[in-house]
């Protein structure tokens, strides 16, 4: 990423941090500003450097170069407990031999906070994660979701202004994960805290975040809002990682035109001048065009190969005239139902010019 100027007066400023293990660059000159109170996710595949970056903020990983600032203070060389950061890990890292209360109070003990304030703080922390009445329970008597709430309460009891979370929900089953996603969002809305949230799950990042930093191979490859990443990916890696896009090779035939087979498509943004180009096709952005419809976008010709009824929608698989196979989604309503295509039908698909996105680079 481009180097930024000085650190922000509040929030988190990461400036050109790098980390090598031997000759391998786990982090390569990463810079990032996280605003105070923001919910920012770091999203990327396994091994892309997410935990290394979070570990640096927490003080567990020493950068080879670069600086870290929290609320305008250079913390690059500070010990973890000096940074006033709450941390929640995937495996909870609770003490199994301590009960819920003693786990949650641990940071106050470690920071030598006067005991007089403990009962009130414990009550507030238990309330916050809806575990009032569980103070004396043993950790082993709790469900996965309850353990994760204890870990949250422990991370928040000393009222940190920054909370780091490293895949905190990935050990939970799907239903509980979705419940906890909503709870975490509500908690974030109530606290004024900044949350930096690591996940490899694009849906989770899209659901929860104000902004998302997408990482690949030790670098941030795009920083944007969920909608920005989805609708306007900067490169093939982001386009392939977010949503369910199919990426098709195209060639540039003008500043706002590309060719796919013998079809010429107008694009919403200028087409990059150099490199391999990919057209990004999201299933939900394609529509079946009808004879009587006025032309209102790009048209792609193809043949239906399969249909898959999915309850709220039907998925059509189509072989384009240019040879590639793509998927599209048709919503299940009466109008669409009447026109539903069958395998073997020739169809014309419509793609709005604004939704015709071309990005540089092959996948990966
Ligand atoms: P992520 O959290 O995105 O899955 P990590 O930040 O944990 O990725 O790791 C990034 C890369 O750095 C991985 O290839 C990992 O194997 C390597 N790595 C991380 N920590 C160490 C270490 N202590 N020693 C050697 N390699 C490491
Ligand atoms: Mg990790």
């Amino acid at each position: 990423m481009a180097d930024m100027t000085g650190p922000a007066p509040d929030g988190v400023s990461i400036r050109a941090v790098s980390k090598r293990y031997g000759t391998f660059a786990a982090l390569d000159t990463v810079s990032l500003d996280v605003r105070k109170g923001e919910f920012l996710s770091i999203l990327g595949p396994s091994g892309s450097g997410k935990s290394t970056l979070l570990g640096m903020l927490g003080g567990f990983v020493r950068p080879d170069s670069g600086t870290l600032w929290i609320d305008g203070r250079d913390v690059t060389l500070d010990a973890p407990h000096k940074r006033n950061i709450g941390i929640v890990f995937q495996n909870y890292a609770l003490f199994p031999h301590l009960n819920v209360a003693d786990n949650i109070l641990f940071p106050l003990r470690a920071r030598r906070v006067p005991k007089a304030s403990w009962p009130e703080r414990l009550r507030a922390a238990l309330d916050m994660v809806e575990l009032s009445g569980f103070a004396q329970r043993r950790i082993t008597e709790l469900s996965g979701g309850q353990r994760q709430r204890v870990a949250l309460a422990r991370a928040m009891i000393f009222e940190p202004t920054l909370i780091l979370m490293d895949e905190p929900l990935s050990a939970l089953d799907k239903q509980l994960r979705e419940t906890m996603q909503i709870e975490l969002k509500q908690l974030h809305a109530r606290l004024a805290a900044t949350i930096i949230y690591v996940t490899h799950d694009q849906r989770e990042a899209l659901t929860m975040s104000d902004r998302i930093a997408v990482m690949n191979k030790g670098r941030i490859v795009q920083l944007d809002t969920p909608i920005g990443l989805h609708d306007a990916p900067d490169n093939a890696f982001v386009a392939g990682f977010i949503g369910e896009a199919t990426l098709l090779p195209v060639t540039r035939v003008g500043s706002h035109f590309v060719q796919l087979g013998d079809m010429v498509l107008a694009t919403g943004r200028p087409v990059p001048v150099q490199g391999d180009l990919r057209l990004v096709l999201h299933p939900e952005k394609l529509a079946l065009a009808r004879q009587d419809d006025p032309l209102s976008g790009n048209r792609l010709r193809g043949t239906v190969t399969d249909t898959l009824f999915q309850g709220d929608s039907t998925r059509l698989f189509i072989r384009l005239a240019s040879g590639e196979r793509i998927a599209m989604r048709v919503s299940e309503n009466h109008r669409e139902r009447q026109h539903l295509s069958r395998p073997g039908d020739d169809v014309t698909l419509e793609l709005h010019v604004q939704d015709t996105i071309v990005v540089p680079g092959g996948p990966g």
Side-chain angles (χ1 to χ4, degrees):
M1 286 201 84
D3 230 355
M4 298 166 222
T5 43
D10 57 15
V12 174
S13 294
I14 299 169
R15 287 292 176 276
V17 294
S18 293
K19 181 72 186 177
R20 291 183 165 276
Y21 293 108
T23 58
F24 174 77
L27 280 183
D28 185 5
T29 339
V30 169
S31 296
L32 173 66
D33 275 337
V34 185
R35 298 170 194 141
K36 195 173 187 62
E38 185 170 28
F39 194 120
L40 182 130
S41 290
I42 300 172
L43 172 69
S46 176
S48 56
K50 306 181 296 297
S51 294
T52 303
L53 186 56
L54 211 69
M56 274 185 189
L57 286 170
F60 311 113
V61 178
R62 173 72 56 94
D64 297 335
S65 54
T67 50
L68 301 161
W69 304 75
I70 297 175
D71 292 335
R73 199 162 61 91
D74 183 344
V75 298
T76 314
L77 301 177
D78 283 0
H81 67 275
K82 293 262 174 68
R83 300 186 183 198
N84 199 36
I85 295 174
I87 301 179
V88 184
F89 295 104
Q90 172 182 354
N91 56 9
Y92 322 139
L94 298 174
F95 303 109
H97 59 285
L98 300 180
N99 66 18
V100 168
D102 288 333
N103 265 280
I104 295 176
L105 289 169
F106 185 81
L108 302 186
R109 196 182 300 276
R111 285 174 172 74
R112 301 185 193 286
V113 173
K115 279 200 173 174
S117 72
W118 290 16
E120 174 51 27
R121 285 186 177 220
L122 177 63
R123 195 194 55 73
L126 286 168
D127 266 4
M128 190 160 51
V129 296
E130 288 170 10
L131 282 178
S132 312
F134 284 76
Q136 303 309 317
R137 287 281 187 97
R138 298 163 62 89
I139 295 301
T140 48
E141 294 167 350
L142 301 179
S143 70
Q146 289 168 333
R147 288 180 200 199
Q148 193 52 282
R149 285 195 211 147
V150 174
L152 278 172
R154 185 180 58 179
M156 289 180 300
I157 193 163
F158 57 98
E159 295 167 4
T161 52
L162 173 61
I163 301 172
L164 308 178
M165 301 191 184
D166 195 347
E167 314 235 9
L169 307 183
S170 61
L172 307 178
D173 65 43
K174 185 168 181 288
Q175 199 159 2
L176 186 55
R177 198 160 65 228
E178 286 174 0
T179 309
M180 290 293 293
Q181 285 171 3
I182 294 166
E183 286 187 11
L184 269 181
K185 275 208 79 160
Q186 290 172 343
L187 205 56
H188 175 249
R190 285 207 301 280
L191 302 167
T194 309
I195 295 184
I196 303 181
Y197 189 96
V198 161
T199 179
H200 66 271
D201 179 343
Q202 52 116 353
R203 292 184 70 96
E204 184 164 277
L206 292 175
T207 306
M208 302 187 70
S209 317
D210 296 318
R211 289 189 304 161
I212 302 171
V214 182
M215 290 195 70
N216 186 33
K217 297 179 181 167
R219 290 168 170 268
I220 293 176
V221 291
Q222 189 168 356
L223 170 67
D224 212 329
T225 59
I227 290 174
L229 287 178
H230 187 272
D231 289 354
D234 279 349
N235 50 66
F237 178 81
V238 172
F241 201 70
I242 306 281
E244 304 170 51
T246 306
L247 273 60
L248 303 179
V250 290
T251 49
R252 185 183 195 274
V253 292
S255 72
H256 285 74
F257 293 95
V258 292
Q259 189 157 355
L260 172 67
D262 64 355
M263 299 175 280
V264 171
L265 309 176
T267 64
R269 298 185 295 177
V271 179
V273 179
Q274 286 177 340
D276 283 349
L277 300 177
R278 297 285 186 277
L279 172 68
V280 183
L281 282 182
H282 288 287
E284 73 279 7
K285 303 250 154 114
L286 291 160
L288 288 171
R290 297 182 194 102
Q291 300 288 328
D292 48 344
D293 282 351
L295 189 70
S296 66
N298 291 306
R299 298 210 153 179
L300 298 101
R301 286 174 283 91
T303 307
V304 177
T305 59
D306 291 287
T307 67
L308 208 58
F309 179 64
Q310 295 184 314
D312 59 344
S313 62
T314 293
R315 186 162 284 249
L316 299 185
F317 294 92
I318 289 152
R319 193 175 54 250
L320 293 176
S322 53
E324 292 92 351
R325 287 169 58 90
I326 62 166
M328 70 171 291
R329 195 149 64 217
V330 181
S331 70
E332 273 296 314
N333 57 45
H334 184 67
R335 178 177 139 92
E336 299 291 350
R337 196 33 102 55
Q338 282 184 323
H339 295 274
L340 195 55
S341 306
R342 287 173 236 293
D345 286 356
D346 289 332
V347 289
T348 301
L349 309 182
E350 198 166 88
L351 179 64
H352 203 283
V353 173
Q354 292 305 322
D355 293 332
T356 306
I357 307 290
V358 174
V359 293

